Amino acid sequence: MARLDALLGKLQMYRLVSLVLAAIAVVAIVESLVGVLGFPPLALLATLATVLVSCVVANRVMALLFRVRPHTESSIITALLLFFLFFPTTDGNDLLSIALVSAIAVASKYVLAWRRRHIFNPAAVGAVIITLTGLNASVWWVGTPVLLPVVAIGALLVLYRTRQLPMGLTFIVLATVVVTIVQSSFGLTVPDALVYALGSTPLIFLAGFMLSEPLTLPPRLWQRIALAAIVALLFSIPFSAGPLHGSPELALVVGNLLAFLVGQRRGLSLSFERSVALTPSMTEFVFQTKHPVSFRAGQYMELSIPHSGADSSGTRRVFSIASAPSNPHEVRFGVRMGESTSSFKRALASLKPSQTVRANLVAGDFLLPSDTKRPVLLVAGGIGITPFISQLQHDATAGAQRDLVLVYAIRGHEEFAYADELKKMGIRVVLLAPSAPEHLPEGWSYAGSGRLTGDVIERHVPDVRQRTAFVSGPPRLVGAARSELKRLRVRRVVTDAFSGY
């Protein structure tokens, strides 16, 4: 799992989604060519070209009208989603209606938005609108047995990368059960109804690629699971209310609206103030915001910095917040820069004072226990210290007293980030580094230069089994530490929500 984390962590989430959707489209075209999929190859190609051109052009037009920089990859993802929703065709009138729904879907991101943050999944709301007008209707042809294996693998990768597996599995399991019950009531045997649910409906596709869209989700895990259950019921149970009929897209749009009501309902504009070198390879970026940022210590934020020549990291990136919620007008991020950085990080490093960036999302469940009497173990590797700094500063401001130990693994003494802050707060630190430091503050200990193993942790934190453990850092360290802590029978191990620093 650590290797999978490291591999997927190299791809920015939007790039992963677009690549997986493109792979499914290629498989569909190949299956059409060999006669497995019942659509002509030319119809698939014509429909794919129509949605791609329409979405990209519409996105650029809307960006000009709203005076923002277009996010091309987002429009490509919308196009690929729409490709799987509408009947492939070469008919000119049908292609024109598909072009129209593509334009409506993209426009919804700009028009159906609250303070520059869109409310609905664009593909879903476009499908709802075009169905109500009677110009076309979604068929979700992606829900077919011949595409199920590649769709299931792709959905699993996306849900795992975005750490939305609990939400996705909640939707898949509940929707499967309810669809099976409904189809059984219509006369199918239970095995046939189960095959129908998984192979002939788009429930896995919906869970993996549409329900999981970060900007249309509530911020907390329990809220997302509740949302998945509501959408699953709306998806599975046939209903009709005037012109509205039960459909996957309508279920998702209703879920998007509910998520909007409980989530961060504003897109934030952050003004860059300064950068501070934490270590030779780590930099802290400090932003100010006119409107207060509502977040909890340990959560993350997605930044958007459109720039030319974007690589696989894309123009959006998620970072743990390093500042405490007590100052809601200042937001700080600790970022590992290194020698070979992504185009996003280069754009971040080139920001000028007062230059603004967009913050699209605040979310996460990497939160310390609300009961401050519960003993806690923090395990950090390198820049993984950032969410802990936010949490520790928040505790210090609130006057909270915890039984807390920080195990911090670094590549060298020069890579010790936030050392002064940790000393000032009186945090007990167990340090893993290539060599022993000459002097250690009172209460600190040196754990050697080897790997972070269960024996090392238990030697320096003898009561580790009575603690709740939190692990943050590079994917390999997180995976290894989680395994070692589980081997020690630590009852609860919480890992940082996003891998790849």
Side-chain angles (χ1 to χ4, degrees):
M1 301 308 291
R3 292 191 184 97
L4 181 60
D5 283 337
L7 177 63
L8 295 179
K10 295 178 181 178
L11 285 175
Q12 190 257 3
M13 182 191 62
Y14 296 92
R15 183 62 51 87
L16 175 64
V17 172
S18 60
L19 289 175
V20 172
L21 288 173
I24 299 173
V26 170
V27 170
I29 293 170
V30 171
E31 290 183 343
S32 174
L33 287 169
V34 300
V36 176
L37 187 65
F39 298 111
L42 187 58
L44 290 173
L45 292 171
T47 304
L48 180 59
T50 298
V51 293
L52 284 171
V53 172
S54 300
C55 285
V56 171
V57 171
N59 189 49
R60 291 187 177 277
V61 171
M62 295 303 296
L64 285 173
L65 292 175
F66 282 80
R67 298 180 180 180
V68 297
R69 191 164 183 172
H71 187 230
T72 302
E73 191 156 28
S74 176
S75 63
I76 291 175
I77 291 174
T78 299
L80 291 170
L81 291 172
L82 290 169
F83 171 62
F84 295 109
L85 267 61
F86 290 89
F87 199 89
T89 181
T90 55
D91 180 81
N93 290 331
D94 289 340
L95 289 175
L96 186 60
S97 68
I98 290 174
L100 179 60
V101 71
S102 300
I104 291 172
V106 170
S108 73
K109 295 180 63 174
Y110 297 87
V111 178
L112 301 179
W114 179 260
R115 294 178 178 174
R116 299 179 68 181
R117 178 177 173 179
H118 69 269
I119 301 172
F120 303 105
N121 180 281
V125 78
V128 168
I129 293 173
I130 207 72
T131 299
L132 289 176
T133 62
L135 295 175
N136 207 323
S138 63
V139 295
W140 294 79
W141 61 268
V142 70
T144 177
V146 297
L147 285 178
L148 179 60
V150 67
V151 169
I153 293 172
L156 180 62
L157 288 174
V158 171
L159 290 171
Y160 180 80
R161 172 64 178 88
T162 58
R163 297 298 188 261
Q164 301 302 338
L165 270 176
M167 180 195 71
L169 292 177
T170 297
F171 174 86
I172 291 171
V173 170
L174 182 57
T176 299
V177 169
V178 177
V179 170
T180 300
I181 293 173
V182 170
Q183 293 302 315
S184 297
S185 70
F186 292 159
L188 288 180
T189 64
V190 172
D192 287 343
L194 181 61
V195 170
Y196 171 83
L198 292 174
S200 299
T201 74
L203 66 87
I204 293 179
F205 183 85
L206 184 72
F209 301 104
M210 299 181 74
L211 180 63
S212 61
E213 186 194 9
L215 297 185
T216 56
L217 288 177
R220 299 295 306 280
L221 176 60
W222 70 267
Q223 295 169 333
R224 297 178 181 189
I225 290 177
L227 175 70
I230 293 172
V231 176
L233 293 175
L234 293 173
F235 170 93
S236 309
I237 301 175
F239 68 89
S240 177
L244 297 177
H245 301 276
S247 66
E249 61 267 26
L250 182 60
L252 186 58
V253 165
V254 173
N256 292 161
L257 182 59
L258 295 176
F260 170 76
L261 296 176
V262 301
Q264 172 78 33
R265 293 189 292 273
R266 110 179 16 246
L268 297 168
S269 179
L270 304 182
S271 176
F272 176 66
E273 183 177 282
R274 67 185 186 278
S275 61
V276 180
L278 297 173
T279 74
S281 68
M282 303 179 202
T283 302
E284 183 177 73
F285 295 88
V286 183
F287 294 86
Q288 296 292 329
T289 174
K290 180 179 178 181
H291 299 285
V293 182
S294 176
F295 69 96
R296 298 184 64 180
Q299 291 189 310
Y300 57 83
M301 181 180 288
E302 183 190 69
L303 299 184
S304 175
I305 307 180
H307 58 279
S308 58
D311 57 19
S312 62
S313 68
T315 60
R316 299 179 182 178
R317 194 74 179 266
V318 166
F319 296 105
S320 296
I321 301 172
S323 51
S326 55
N327 184 0
H329 292 280
E330 180 180 274
V331 185
R332 295 186 283 118
F333 306 96
V335 181
R336 176 176 291 281
M337 302 303 289
E339 297 179 359
S340 177
T341 60
S342 64
S343 64
F344 182 96
K345 289 185 179 180
R346 290 195 296 272
L348 180 63
S350 65
L351 291 175
K352 306 299 181 186
S354 299
Q355 189 173 346
T356 60
V357 302
R358 295 293 298 172
N360 303 308
L361 175 69
V362 177
D365 289 272
F366 196 64
L367 312 175
L368 294 186
S370 55
D371 181 4
T372 57
K373 295 181 180 180
R374 290 172 59 183
V376 171
L377 169 67
L378 309 181
V379 179
I383 199 62
I385 190 70
T386 52
F388 295 143
I389 294 299
S390 175
Q391 294 164 342
L392 295 172
Q393 289 180 341
H394 175 67
D395 277 0
T397 301
Q401 300 292 325
R402 293 184 191 270
D403 178 359
L404 183 148
V405 183
L406 168 65
V407 177
Y408 191 20
I410 55 177
R411 297 178 180 178
H413 299 306
E414 72 281 359
E415 292 297 319
F416 198 142
Y418 298 105
D420 292 338
E421 286 86 342
L422 294 170
K423 294 176 186 176
K424 186 183 298 183
M425 290 184 287
I427 303 301
R428 179 185 164 195
V429 176
V430 177
L431 185 67
L432 274 83
S435 60
E438 294 183 3
H439 303 286
L440 282 176
E442 183 179 354
W444 290 28
S445 59
Y446 176 62
S449 59
R451 292 191 310 110
L452 180 60
T453 64
D455 292 339
V456 170
I457 295 174
E458 189 173 25
R459 187 183 314 125
H460 291 270
V461 190
D463 60 348
V464 61
R465 292 176 182 83
Q466 282 71 54
R467 296 178 180 270
T468 300
F470 293 80
V471 186
S472 175
R476 289 187 183 278
L477 180 138
V478 170
R482 178 175 51 201
S483 298
E484 291 295 306
L485 289 166
K486 288 295 185 181
R487 185 176 64 81
L488 290 176
R489 298 183 181 178
V490 174
R491 286 176 294 181
R492 185 163 183 248
V493 180
V494 184
T495 58
D496 200 358
F498 281 81
S499 62
Y501 288 88

